[in-house]
Amino acid sequence: AAFVDILEVFDFETIVYDCMDELSLFKGASQELIQQENKLLSAADVVYTGGKSLYESKKMKHHDFHCFPRSVAVDHFSKTSSNEIPEDLKNIPTPIIGSYGVIDESIDLELLQKSAAKLPEYSFVMIGPICKIEEHELPRAENIFYLGMKSYEELPNYLNRFDFAMMPFALNDATKFISPTKTLEYMCAYKPIISTKITDVVRDYSDCVSLVENENDFVEAVKNPVKNLK
């Protein structure tokens, strides 16, 4: 049964729908998701989305719809309290171009592979669980490292060891309406950021993020990074 079915069991005074992603476009999504969301929209008193693109795509579906962009725990991601290098980073050569988050169909694996091949002197570090894709689909190279999932508490210690932070998103259905929270998290650590042209990133951060379309752009972004605004 869908989670929305609890509305038929419990009587809530106010129903708030916090829409974080367009889940119906994700790989393996249930065909019933749109119907379930429409049911939730008809019952909700107010609706929020976590990004502008998502808001624009859905705002006509409810009378009380608001864009509430995701925020960031600045103190957490800017802290440099631990000087100890994480054990699984100790044998990885620097400089490091790193990313954290789920590794799935939203990641441009071809861009990752080609960029790593163009920059053999850099280590490409991917942190996060692998979901909905197979291990054999991941690009493999001497300078690409997959470190698995880390806890929220551990992330700043890894982020602070990055020389560049990257968001190598594919431009597909899964990323059509995303507004990556890690853009701001990377900024908290004042890391130069390299990102593909996700709509909400281009719209809000093109003055402080290096935007790329291919591996040649990626190399140029490394050689001539855009500085974060402080």
Side-chain angles (χ1 to χ4, degrees):
F3 185 76
V4 71
D5 290 339
I6 67 169
L7 299 180
E8 298 175 0
V9 180
F10 296 99
D11 184 19
F12 297 103
E13 182 177 336
T14 304
I15 298 171
V16 178
Y17 174 25
D18 184 12
C19 182
M20 302 303 291
D21 282 302
E22 182 53 87
L23 297 179
S24 65
L25 296 180
F26 282 26
K27 184 178 180 180
S30 167
Q31 295 300 309
E32 299 176 348
L33 272 176
I34 294 177
Q35 179 183 352
Q36 292 167 356
E37 182 183 59
N38 287 337
K39 185 176 181 180
L40 179 55
L41 285 168
S42 66
D45 296 288
V46 62
V47 184
Y48 296 96
T49 65
K52 294 178 182 177
S53 292
L54 196 56
Y55 168 75
E56 291 166 353
S57 74
K58 293 181 177 289
K59 64 182 179 182
M60 300 306 295
K61 294 185 176 183
H62 194 274
H63 67 280
D64 198 4
F65 219 114
H66 303 273
C67 181
F68 194 79
R70 299 170 186 178
S71 56
V72 60
V74 176
D75 291 343
H76 181 68
F77 286 97
S78 62
K79 65 186 179 183
T80 56
S81 56
S82 176
N83 293 319
E84 184 177 349
I85 301 175
E87 194 64 33
D88 52 2
L89 276 183
K90 286 182 177 179
N91 294 322
I92 294 178
T94 57
I96 292 173
I97 302 173
S99 176
Y100 59 72
V102 176
I103 303 170
D104 58 11
E105 80 272 19
S106 69
I107 301 298
D108 190 335
L109 299 178
E110 183 178 1
L111 175 64
L112 175 62
Q113 183 171 36
K114 290 183 176 180
S115 298
K118 287 266 189 179
L119 294 162
E121 69 275 26
Y122 286 81
S123 294
F124 285 68
V125 172
M126 302 292 289
I127 294 172
I130 299 167
C131 299
K132 294 184 287 182
I133 59 175
E134 301 297 327
E135 289 270 355
H136 67 80
E137 297 179 69
L138 298 175
R140 300 292 180 178
E142 289 186 359
N143 63 329
I144 301 178
F145 303 87
Y146 301 95
L147 303 187
M149 186 167 62
K150 307 299 176 184
S151 70
Y152 180 77
E153 290 302 321
E154 292 176 291
L155 286 180
N157 206 20
Y158 283 87
L159 177 57
N160 279 306
R161 269 71 188 179
F162 293 174
D163 295 280
F164 289 84
M166 64 175 170
M167 298 190 294
F169 288 114
L171 302 184
N172 56 27
D173 284 346
T175 63
K176 190 174 182 180
F177 301 113
I178 66 171
S179 185
T181 306
K182 59 186 170 186
T183 313
L184 297 175
E185 294 170 354
Y186 290 166
M187 286 182 183
C188 287
Y190 296 117
K191 299 298 177 180
I193 302 169
I194 301 171
S195 176
T196 50
K197 295 184 177 180
I198 296 299
T199 300
D200 279 5
V201 176
V202 174
R203 174 178 6 213
D204 292 334
Y205 306 115
S206 58
D207 58 344
C208 53
V209 171
S210 295
L211 299 169
V212 304
E213 293 184 0
N214 53 51
E215 67 275 12
N216 294 322
D217 290 348
F218 200 105
V219 172
E220 179 61 26
V222 170
K223 303 304 181 185
N224 296 290
V226 173
K227 301 298 183 182
N228 287 336
L229 301 178
K230 295 190 179 183

